[in-house]
Amino acid sequence: MSTLSLHTPSPADLPEPAAADPERRRWLLATGCGGALGAAALAVPFTQTLAPSERAKALGAGVQVALGDIPPGGLKTVEWRGKPVWVLHRTPEMLAALQRDDANLADPQSKRDALPDTLRNAGRSERPEWLVAIGVCTHLGCSPSFLPVGSGNPAVDANWAGGFFCPCHGSTFDLAGRVFKNKPAPTNLEVPPHRFLSDDTLFIGTET
Protein backbone atom coordinates (compact mmCIF):
# COMPACT_ATOMS: atom_id res chain seq x y z
CA MET A 1 0.00 0.00 0.00
CA SER A 2 1.52 3.20 -1.14
CA THR A 3 1.59 6.27 0.97
CA LEU A 4 0.61 9.63 -0.60
CA SER A 5 2.83 12.39 0.62
CA LEU A 6 2.07 16.10 0.28
CA HIS A 7 4.82 18.60 -0.32
CA THR A 8 4.27 22.15 0.83
CA PRO A 9 6.48 24.53 -1.17
CA SER A 10 8.79 26.64 0.87
CA PRO A 11 9.37 30.34 0.11
CA ALA A 12 12.56 29.33 -1.57
CA ASP A 13 10.61 27.22 -4.06
CA LEU A 14 8.26 30.13 -5.17
CA PRO A 15 9.26 32.13 -8.28
CA GLU A 16 10.49 35.59 -7.60
CA PRO A 17 8.03 38.39 -8.59
CA ALA A 18 8.82 40.00 -11.90
CA ALA A 19 10.75 43.21 -11.58
CA ALA A 20 8.71 46.34 -12.22
CA ASP A 21 9.01 47.46 -15.85
CA PRO A 22 9.27 51.29 -15.99
CA GLU A 23 8.69 51.37 -19.75
CA ARG A 24 5.50 49.31 -19.45
CA ARG A 25 4.18 51.56 -16.64
CA ARG A 26 4.78 54.70 -18.71
CA TRP A 27 3.02 53.12 -21.71
CA LEU A 28 -0.05 52.24 -19.60
CA LEU A 29 -0.23 55.73 -18.15
CA ALA A 30 0.08 57.34 -21.57
CA THR A 31 -2.65 55.10 -22.99
CA GLY A 32 -5.03 55.89 -20.14
CA CYS A 33 -4.43 59.62 -20.37
CA GLY A 34 -4.82 59.55 -24.14
CA GLY A 35 -8.16 57.79 -23.86
CA ALA A 36 -9.41 60.32 -21.32
CA LEU A 37 -8.32 63.22 -23.49
CA GLY A 38 -9.98 61.64 -26.52
CA ALA A 39 -13.26 61.26 -24.67
CA ALA A 40 -13.06 64.86 -23.54
CA ALA A 41 -12.33 66.02 -27.08
CA LEU A 42 -15.42 64.20 -28.34
CA ALA A 43 -17.57 65.61 -25.58
CA VAL A 44 -16.71 69.25 -26.31
CA PRO A 45 -18.14 69.48 -29.84
CA PHE A 46 -21.16 67.41 -28.82
CA THR A 47 -21.92 69.82 -26.00
CA GLN A 48 -21.54 72.75 -28.35
CA THR A 49 -24.10 71.28 -30.72
CA LEU A 50 -26.63 71.24 -27.90
CA ALA A 51 -26.09 74.88 -27.01
CA PRO A 52 -28.15 77.32 -29.13
CA SER A 53 -26.13 79.52 -31.46
CA GLU A 54 -26.12 83.29 -31.07
CA ARG A 55 -28.04 83.58 -34.36
CA ALA A 56 -30.67 81.10 -33.18
CA LYS A 57 -31.14 83.02 -29.94
CA ALA A 58 -31.49 86.24 -31.91
CA LEU A 59 -34.23 84.90 -34.19
CA GLY A 60 -36.95 85.73 -31.69
CA ALA A 61 -35.56 89.10 -30.74
CA GLY A 62 -36.63 92.44 -32.13
CA VAL A 63 -34.60 94.22 -34.79
CA GLN A 64 -33.69 97.87 -34.73
CA VAL A 65 -33.42 99.49 -38.18
CA ALA A 66 -31.76 102.78 -39.06
CA LEU A 67 -33.88 104.72 -41.55
CA GLY A 68 -31.56 107.62 -42.29
CA ASP A 69 -29.66 105.78 -45.03
CA ILE A 70 -32.77 104.79 -47.04
CA PRO A 71 -33.34 107.42 -49.75
CA PRO A 72 -36.84 108.22 -51.05
CA GLY A 73 -37.82 105.35 -53.30
CA GLY A 74 -35.20 103.11 -51.68
CA LEU A 75 -35.73 99.70 -50.13
CA LYS A 76 -33.83 98.09 -47.27
CA THR A 77 -34.10 94.41 -46.39
CA VAL A 78 -33.44 93.19 -42.85
CA GLU A 79 -33.88 89.79 -41.22
CA TRP A 80 -36.38 89.16 -38.45
CA ARG A 81 -37.19 85.69 -37.14
CA GLY A 82 -35.45 84.18 -40.13
CA LYS A 83 -37.60 86.10 -42.63
CA PRO A 84 -36.76 89.05 -44.89
CA VAL A 85 -38.52 92.26 -43.93
CA TRP A 86 -38.76 95.11 -46.41
CA VAL A 87 -38.57 98.73 -45.31
CA LEU A 88 -39.62 100.89 -48.26
CA HIS A 89 -39.26 104.67 -48.23
CA ARG A 90 -42.19 105.74 -50.38
CA THR A 91 -42.15 108.96 -52.36
CA PRO A 92 -45.20 111.22 -52.82
CA GLU A 93 -45.59 109.72 -56.32
CA MET A 94 -45.67 106.22 -54.83
CA LEU A 95 -48.31 107.24 -52.32
CA ALA A 96 -50.44 108.78 -55.07
CA ALA A 97 -50.24 105.51 -57.02
CA LEU A 98 -51.78 103.64 -54.09
CA GLN A 99 -55.02 105.56 -54.51
CA ARG A 100 -55.39 104.31 -58.09
CA ASP A 101 -55.02 100.59 -57.38
CA ASP A 102 -58.21 99.79 -55.48
CA ALA A 103 -60.23 98.49 -58.41
CA ASN A 104 -57.51 95.98 -59.31
CA LEU A 105 -56.80 94.68 -55.82
CA ALA A 106 -58.23 91.57 -54.16
CA ASP A 107 -58.43 93.14 -50.69
CA PRO A 108 -57.74 96.88 -50.96
CA GLN A 109 -59.04 97.68 -47.46
CA SER A 110 -57.02 94.86 -45.85
CA LYS A 111 -60.17 93.41 -44.32
CA ARG A 112 -58.65 89.92 -44.18
CA ASP A 113 -55.44 91.13 -42.55
CA ALA A 114 -54.84 91.00 -38.81
CA LEU A 115 -53.78 94.62 -38.65
CA PRO A 116 -54.15 97.09 -35.79
CA ASP A 117 -56.37 100.08 -36.45
CA THR A 118 -53.37 102.36 -36.91
CA LEU A 119 -52.39 100.37 -40.01
CA ARG A 120 -55.83 100.09 -41.59
CA ASN A 121 -55.29 102.59 -44.38
CA ALA A 122 -54.29 102.56 -48.04
CA GLY A 123 -50.60 102.52 -47.19
CA ARG A 124 -50.99 99.90 -44.43
CA SER A 125 -48.64 101.99 -42.34
CA GLU A 126 -48.48 104.27 -39.33
CA ARG A 127 -46.35 106.77 -41.23
CA PRO A 128 -47.43 107.10 -44.88
CA GLU A 129 -43.92 107.29 -46.31
CA TRP A 130 -42.84 103.98 -44.77
CA LEU A 131 -43.94 100.47 -45.70
CA VAL A 132 -42.82 97.63 -43.44
CA ALA A 133 -43.74 94.20 -44.82
CA ILE A 134 -42.47 90.64 -44.70
CA GLY A 135 -40.98 89.82 -48.10
CA VAL A 136 -42.50 86.35 -48.40
CA CYS A 137 -45.26 85.60 -50.91
CA THR A 138 -48.43 84.41 -49.21
CA HIS A 139 -48.94 81.75 -51.88
CA LEU A 140 -46.12 79.24 -51.36
CA GLY A 141 -43.54 81.22 -49.46
CA CYS A 142 -41.42 82.37 -52.40
CA SER A 143 -39.47 85.62 -52.31
CA PRO A 144 -40.91 88.39 -54.51
CA SER A 145 -38.78 91.06 -56.15
CA PHE A 146 -39.19 94.81 -55.94
CA LEU A 147 -40.20 96.25 -59.33
CA PRO A 148 -40.27 100.05 -59.39
CA VAL A 149 -42.29 101.98 -61.96
CA GLY A 150 -40.75 101.93 -65.41
CA SER A 151 -38.84 98.71 -64.78
CA GLY A 152 -39.78 97.40 -68.22
CA ASN A 153 -40.33 93.89 -66.90
CA PRO A 154 -42.59 92.03 -69.36
CA ALA A 155 -44.18 90.11 -66.47
CA VAL A 156 -46.19 93.21 -65.45
CA ASP A 157 -48.52 95.56 -67.33
CA ALA A 158 -47.22 98.56 -69.20
CA ASN A 159 -49.06 100.84 -66.75
CA TRP A 160 -47.34 99.22 -63.76
CA ALA A 161 -47.10 101.81 -60.98
CA GLY A 162 -44.50 99.93 -58.99
CA GLY A 163 -44.72 97.15 -56.44
CA PHE A 164 -43.58 93.60 -55.94
CA PHE A 165 -43.57 90.63 -58.30
CA CYS A 166 -43.22 86.96 -57.36
CA PRO A 167 -41.49 85.14 -60.23
CA CYS A 168 -42.49 81.68 -58.95
CA HIS A 169 -46.19 81.84 -59.88
CA GLY A 170 -46.78 85.42 -61.00
CA SER A 171 -48.40 87.04 -57.99
CA THR A 172 -48.13 90.82 -57.90
CA PHE A 173 -48.46 93.25 -54.98
CA ASP A 174 -48.71 97.03 -54.96
CA LEU A 175 -46.48 99.45 -53.04
CA ALA A 176 -48.47 98.71 -49.86
CA GLY A 177 -48.04 94.94 -50.24
CA ARG A 178 -51.65 94.41 -51.32
CA VAL A 179 -52.19 91.55 -53.74
CA PHE A 180 -53.78 92.10 -57.14
CA LYS A 181 -56.89 90.23 -58.25
CA ASN A 182 -56.78 86.87 -60.01
CA LYS A 183 -53.36 85.97 -58.63
CA PRO A 184 -52.28 82.78 -56.82
CA ALA A 185 -51.44 84.60 -53.58
CA PRO A 186 -54.58 84.48 -51.38
CA THR A 187 -53.80 87.44 -49.13
CA ASN A 188 -51.78 90.62 -48.88
CA LEU A 189 -48.19 90.55 -47.67
CA GLU A 190 -47.88 90.25 -43.91
CA VAL A 191 -47.02 93.35 -41.91
CA PRO A 192 -44.88 92.49 -38.87
CA PRO A 193 -45.38 94.22 -35.52
CA HIS A 194 -43.28 97.38 -35.48
CA ARG A 195 -43.05 100.86 -34.08
CA PHE A 196 -41.00 103.98 -34.68
CA LEU A 197 -38.56 104.81 -31.92
CA SER A 198 -37.74 108.12 -33.59
CA ASP A 199 -37.80 109.74 -37.02
CA ASP A 200 -34.68 107.79 -37.93
CA THR A 201 -35.14 104.49 -36.08
CA LEU A 202 -37.61 101.64 -36.55
CA PHE A 203 -38.11 98.70 -34.24
CA ILE A 204 -39.45 95.46 -35.72
CA GLY A 205 -40.89 92.89 -33.33
CA THR A 206 -42.35 93.03 -29.87
CA GLU A 207 -40.66 93.64 -26.55
CA THR A 208 -40.11 90.48 -24.52
Side-chain angles (χ1 to χ4, degrees), residues 37-51:
L37 290 174
L42 290 175
V44 169
F46 178 73
T47 302
Q48 289 175 344
T49 60
L50 295 179

Side-chain angles (χ1 to χ4, degrees), residues 86 94 96-110 112-113 122 124 131 137-139 144-149 155-166 169-189:
W86 295 328
M94 289 177 167
L98 295 178
Q99 307 301 326
R100 303 193 299 266
D101 285 337
D102 283 16
N104 300 316
L105 298 172
D107 184 18
Q109 305 303 320
S110 300
R112 289 177 285 182
D113 298 342
R124 303 173 79 222
L131 168 69
C137 182
T138 55
H139 178 218
S145 301
F146 176 48
L147 288 183
V149 62
V156 295
D157 297 336
N159 60 348
W160 176 252
F164 305 93
F165 167 69
C166 184
H169 301 94
S171 293
T172 50
F173 305 85
D174 74 349
L175 291 166
R178 300 176 296 180
V179 67
F180 283 84
K181 290 179 179 179
N182 303 317
K183 300 295 181 178
T187 59
N188 300 329
L189 294 179

